[in-house]
Amino acid sequence: MSNKVIQAMYIDDDVLMAAVKKVRQENHHIEEVFTPFPVHGLDKAMGLEPTRLAITAFMYGCVGLAVAIVMMNYIMITDWPQNIGGKPSFSYLENMPAFVPIMFELTVFFAAHLMVITFYLRSRLWPFKEAENPDPRTTDDHFLMEVSVHGNEDALKALLLETGATEIKVTEKH
């Protein structure tokens, strides 16, 4: 399904922030904003919900901790018990202080690597994917706001020009 969007180009991040707030006040839906660097507060100005990726990072860390505990119990206690430095190897709880660094490392390892995979899947990024950036200048020094058209296109263009847009282009988004 295709829909019509207006792409408004800005040259300053402060002007962009004011424009986003003004467009949202007028109850228009902002599809996407492309910026060359992170703009502090833009997500709140766009009305985006807070991310839940931190919750998944915690769950991935818990999985890593569980894998570390099960792995060390199996390897060092059940499968191949060894007498290292006179420490008894018949109980996991007695040896747990020696396993803390391994538990920490596997917790961080699982959280970090699974979060990278989750981020790429959630963002629909994969190798050899074509860029969705509508204008290459947004990777250097310009800002672009895509607003969906659901009514009077001319009024929306006038609003965007009023907010400080330097260029306006109407396109079909697929």
Side-chain angles (χ1 to χ4, degrees):
M1 180 179 157
S2 64
N3 58 344
K4 196 183 276 191
V5 294
I6 294 181
Q7 297 174 345
M9 187 75 72
Y10 297 89
I11 57 172
D12 185 32
D13 57 335
D14 294 327
V15 175
L16 173 74
M17 281 292 288
V20 166
K21 291 174 184 175
K22 179 73 172 170
V23 168
R24 291 242 325 140
Q25 280 178 351
E26 299 290 329
N27 295 322
H28 294 288
H29 176 68
I30 300 173
E31 291 282 335
E32 188 68 71
V33 176
F34 297 91
T35 63
F37 53 83
V39 178
H40 181 70
L42 185 61
D43 52 344
K44 288 183 182 178
M46 288 177 63
L48 299 177
E49 295 179 6
T51 182
R52 295 184 303 257
L53 286 177
I55 297 168
T56 59
F58 177 75
M59 290 189 302
Y60 293 153
C62 290
V63 168
L65 180 64
V67 166
I69 291 171
V70 169
M71 179 189 77
M72 288 180 301
N73 186 46
Y74 177 73
I75 292 172
M76 298 299 290
I77 307 300
T78 306
D79 184 45
W80 196 264
Q82 298 178 27
N83 185 356
I84 300 173
K87 294 181 181 178
S89 59
F90 54 84
S91 170
Y92 179 79
L93 291 177
E94 289 179 1
N95 290 313
M96 196 172 78
F99 297 151
V100 169
I102 300 168
M103 291 189 293
F104 172 76
E105 292 297 330
L106 280 178
T107 300
V108 172
F109 178 83
F110 271 69
H113 285 80
L114 292 175
M115 278 306 299
V116 168
I117 293 169
T118 301
F119 172 75
Y120 283 138
L121 292 175
R122 181 75 176 101
S123 300
R124 294 186 181 105
L125 293 173
W126 47 84
F128 311 111
K129 182 178 189 254
E130 291 189 30
E132 297 177 2
N133 193 348
D135 193 320
R137 292 177 293 174
T138 59
T139 62
D140 187 26
D141 61 351
H142 284 70
F143 303 85
L144 187 134
M145 176 171 45
E146 280 187 349
V147 183
S148 55
V149 178
H150 294 297
N152 191 350
E153 183 179 321
D154 294 329
L156 183 55
K157 283 183 186 178
L159 173 67
L160 292 171
L161 284 173
E162 177 186 315
T163 61
T166 57
E167 293 178 34
I168 291 182
K169 182 170 60 170
V170 180
T171 60
E172 289 286 327
K173 188 169 185 178
H174 302 282

